[in-house]
Amino acid sequence: MNIKILALLLLAGCSMFAGPRVVVGFGFGYPAAPVVAYAPPPPPPVYYAPPAPGYGYSWVGGYYYPVGPRWAWHQGYWARPPYARSYWVAPRYYRGRYYRGYWRR
């Protein structure tokens, strides 16, 4: 009887470590991996940027980004750069792949 209980506890203890894992990743200034997009985005609409809300803001222009099989429009906005003297590198579509925008130092 004791051997059966010991085997059951051993199996239960081992299965505790076989559960799902949690992974956390961090990126430091590098653009994310490209996303495969089969059709190029439509031409961006023409619009004007509103006045800056204050000193130190940068304009992030509107851009299309892939959502499943279609493209969605993200309007432009004013943002404070996360680093000193950094600038926004706009998203781009190149050779069938979409590269996300990012802040460059």
Side-chain angles (χ1 to χ4, degrees), residues 14-43:
C14 290
S15 65
M16 179 175 67
F17 297 108
R21 304 284 186 235
V22 175
V23 178
V24 177
F26 296 96
F28 295 99
Y30 295 105
V35 176
V36 176
Y38 299 107

Side-chain angles (χ1 to χ4, degrees), residues 51-100:
Y55 177 76
Y57 283 84
S58 295
W59 176 252
V60 177
Y63 54 90
Y64 280 102
Y65 61 96
V67 178
R70 64 182 182 84
W71 292 95
W73 175 253
H74 188 278
Q75 288 188 335
Y77 57 95
W78 288 100
R80 284 189 181 266
Y83 322 109
R85 296 183 300 277
S86 62
Y87 61 94
W88 175 251
V89 177
R92 63 200 176 281
Y93 176 84
Y94 181 70
R95 293 189 179 182
R97 294 189 183 267
Y98 172 78
Y99 296 87
R100 293 177 33 196

